[in-house]
């Protein structure tokens, strides 16, 4: 059958149109990352998520269905070694089939050093902070000295070999919207390369996402402005990026990493810190034992609240990142403005 020019045109248009193009199989490790990817893939497809529900990335164990999803993936987005430890070996075994994107290495990401110990002194932003725009020079030294004195072997073993892997940097980078923008740019670029047929859609979605992130950044700064000088205590040390961006004051953390339960000495150190701080707030997290928070605030005027830095309680999807960040701002404001 002789193909007419019109028919040729229609088939070319059809075959190259997004609708026909095979949507790439994309996997994202944790909910905050999945949310950014889902935003950029809107109208094209949906990424699959590994750490679902209320599970914590720090204690997660791979399921056979996860391994199958990775095997079929064309692109895998994760934060990186030191956070999703459960992914390190499976990704090594994946071979070159899939494109693996470590978003902690995206251009423009600001990295903060992993913090030692349970009590943090307020850092004066005039200080020279060393690595990648921020480190903890003198403070770190004082913490290490403090740790060596008071915690000796316990601090050594517990904190350095569990949970956060052995990385140098705090891996909760998504808690700064400017880092989320850097991640979004890398996600958009990767998807456009992996799926050129939908590149225009990814680009348009990326622009919309960047506008939303700028708006979020402004509204968070307003939300926490009234309470930014009020120190508070958190469950695990996940909030440094939020703290750095909005100048709120994390006075200490009950544990460094959720699966390393704090020893009695650390709990008493935190209790002493809360007494020092006077009226303040101590924040639990949905995935972890709230009893510990009651232990450290007992007999002090401190109030308790809840923060959810890994979105354990939120529905996965494009809006999750915004709900996660707004919830942190609101929870801090609600508790600290009533802690007088
Ligand atoms: Zn964490």
């Amino acid at each position: 059958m002789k193909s007419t020019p019109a028919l040729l045109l229609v088939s070319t248009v059809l075959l190259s149109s997004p609708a026909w193009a095979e949507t790439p199989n994309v996997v994202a490790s944790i909910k905050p990352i999945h949310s950014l990817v889902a935003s950029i893939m809107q109208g094209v497809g949906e990424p699959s998520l590994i750490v679902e529900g209320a599970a914590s990335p720090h204690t997660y164990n791979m399921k056979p269905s996860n391994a199958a999803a990775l095997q079929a993936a064309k692109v895998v987005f994760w934060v990186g070694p030191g956070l999703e430890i459960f992914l390190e070996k499976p990704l090594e075994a994946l071979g070159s089939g899939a494109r693996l994107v470590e978003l902690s290495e995206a251009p423009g990401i600001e990295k903060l050093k992993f913090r030692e110990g349970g009590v943090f002194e307020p850092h004066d932003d005039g200080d020279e902070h060393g690595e990648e725009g921020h480190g903890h020079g003198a403070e770190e030294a004082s913490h290490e000295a403090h740790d060596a004195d008071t915690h000796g072997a316990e601090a050594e073993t517990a904190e350095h070999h569990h949970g956060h892997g052995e990385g140098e940097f705090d891996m909760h980078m998504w808690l700064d919207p400017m880092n989320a923008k850097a991640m979004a740019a890398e996600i958009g670029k990767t998807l456009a390369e992996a799926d050129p047929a939908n590149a225009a859609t990814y680009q348009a979605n990326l622009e919309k996402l960047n506008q939303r992130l700028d708006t979020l950044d402004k509204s968070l700064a307003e939300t926490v402005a009234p309470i930014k000088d009020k120190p508070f205590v958190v469950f695990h040390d996940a909030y440094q990026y939020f703290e750095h961006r909005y100048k709120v004051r994390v006075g200490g953390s009950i544990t460094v990493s959720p699966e390393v339960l704090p020893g009695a000495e650390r709990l008493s150190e935190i209790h002493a810190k809360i007494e020092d701080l006077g009226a303040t707030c101590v924040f639990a997290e949905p995935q972890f034992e709230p009893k510990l928070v009651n232990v450290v605030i007992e007999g002090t005027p401190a109030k308790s609240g809840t923060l959810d830095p890994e979105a354990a309680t939120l529905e996965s999807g494009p809006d999750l990142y915004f709900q996660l960040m707004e919830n942190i701002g609101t929870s801090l404001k609600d508790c600290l403005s009533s802690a007088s």
Side-chain angles (χ1 to χ4, degrees):
M1 184 184 76
K2 216 159 76 39
S3 63
T4 64
L7 190 59
L8 200 58
L9 177 63
V10 170
S11 59
T12 316
V13 170
L14 271 181
L15 284 175
S16 64
S17 74
W20 278 83
E22 178 79 22
T23 307
N25 209 322
V26 176
V27 173
S29 58
I30 60 172
K31 285 179 173 178
I33 301 302
H34 176 272
S35 177
L36 299 176
V37 178
S39 280
I40 296 170
M41 287 185 73
Q42 276 184 299
V44 175
E46 273 188 37
S48 53
L49 171 63
I50 295 184
V51 183
E52 292 179 304
S56 161
H58 300 292
T59 52
Y60 190 75
N61 291 310
M62 284 280 281
K63 292 185 273 191
S65 58
N66 299 141
L70 285 179
Q71 282 304 330
K74 190 164 179 192
V75 183
V76 180
F77 292 106
W78 64 317
V79 178
L83 185 80
E84 307 99 327
I85 295 166
F86 59 89
L87 268 182
E88 291 173 12
K89 288 224 166 34
L91 290 183
E92 268 166 37
L94 258 190
S96 60
R99 176 110 183 245
L100 311 182
V101 183
E102 219 175 285
L103 291 168
S104 57
E105 297 304 322
I109 284 271
E110 181 165 13
K111 290 184 179 180
L112 300 174
K113 286 252 175 94
F114 179 53
R115 231 169 356 194
E116 305 282 353
V119 168
F120 314 131
E121 302 313 322
H123 50 77
D124 157 3
D125 276 310
D127 281 2
E128 203 33 52
H129 281 272
E131 178 83 27
E132 311 252 348
H134 285 279
H136 279 273
E139 269 167 55
E140 216 165 84
S142 70
H143 274 167
E144 266 151 23
H146 173 82
D147 263 351
D149 300 344
T150 52
H151 295 299
E154 179 208 319
E156 227 11 75
T157 49
E159 283 168 16
H160 288 291
H161 297 303
H162 286 286
H164 285 274
E166 304 188 12
E168 185 187 350
F169 296 105
D170 179 331
M171 297 297 277
H172 299 84
M173 291 153 184
W174 63 87
L175 290 179
D176 176 346
M178 295 306 110
N179 276 346
K181 283 181 83 172
M183 290 177 173
E186 187 68 11
I187 294 165
K189 176 173 153 293
T190 305
L191 290 172
E193 285 166 6
D195 176 26
N198 292 303
T201 307
Y202 298 138
Q203 185 54 35
N205 288 341
L206 176 61
E207 278 155 27
K208 264 185 272 167
L209 176 59
N210 281 335
Q211 280 162 13
R212 279 190 83 184
L213 290 168
D214 286 336
T215 307
L216 172 73
D217 183 48
K218 287 194 192 69
S219 80
L220 280 172
E222 280 159 28
T223 301
V224 301
I227 52 95
K228 70 179 185 186
D229 295 326
K230 297 201 172 187
F232 54 95
V233 170
V234 296
F235 189 86
H236 87 290
D237 188 21
Y239 307 88
Q240 214 183 158
Y241 290 93
F242 191 97
E243 180 189 356
H244 172 69
R245 180 77 190 156
Y246 300 109
K247 308 293 176 260
V248 294
R249 283 185 55 198
V250 179
S253 73
I254 294 176
T255 178
V256 157
S257 186
E259 70 280 32
V260 181
L261 281 183
E265 272 180 49
R266 188 180 176 102
L267 288 177
S268 66
E269 186 197 349
I270 293 290
H271 189 267
K273 177 75 184 179
I274 291 167
E275 285 185 321
D276 283 356
L277 292 174
T280 183
C281 289
V282 180
F283 292 93
E285 286 169 22
Q287 301 118 311
F288 308 110
E289 184 51 59
K291 212 173 48 222
L292 281 174
V293 171
N294 302 333
V295 169
V296 295
I297 65 175
E298 203 180 337
T300 77
K303 299 174 66 110
S304 66
T306 301
L307 293 174
D308 185 13
E310 282 127 22
T313 59
L314 301 177
E315 196 69 32
S316 60
D319 296 331
L320 173 140
Y321 181 80
F322 297 91
Q323 288 158 357
L324 177 163
M325 296 296 284
E326 281 153 11
N327 289 353
I328 291 177
T330 312
S331 299
L332 289 176
K333 195 186 84 180
D334 290 353
C335 186
L336 290 165
S337 47
S338 64
S340 52

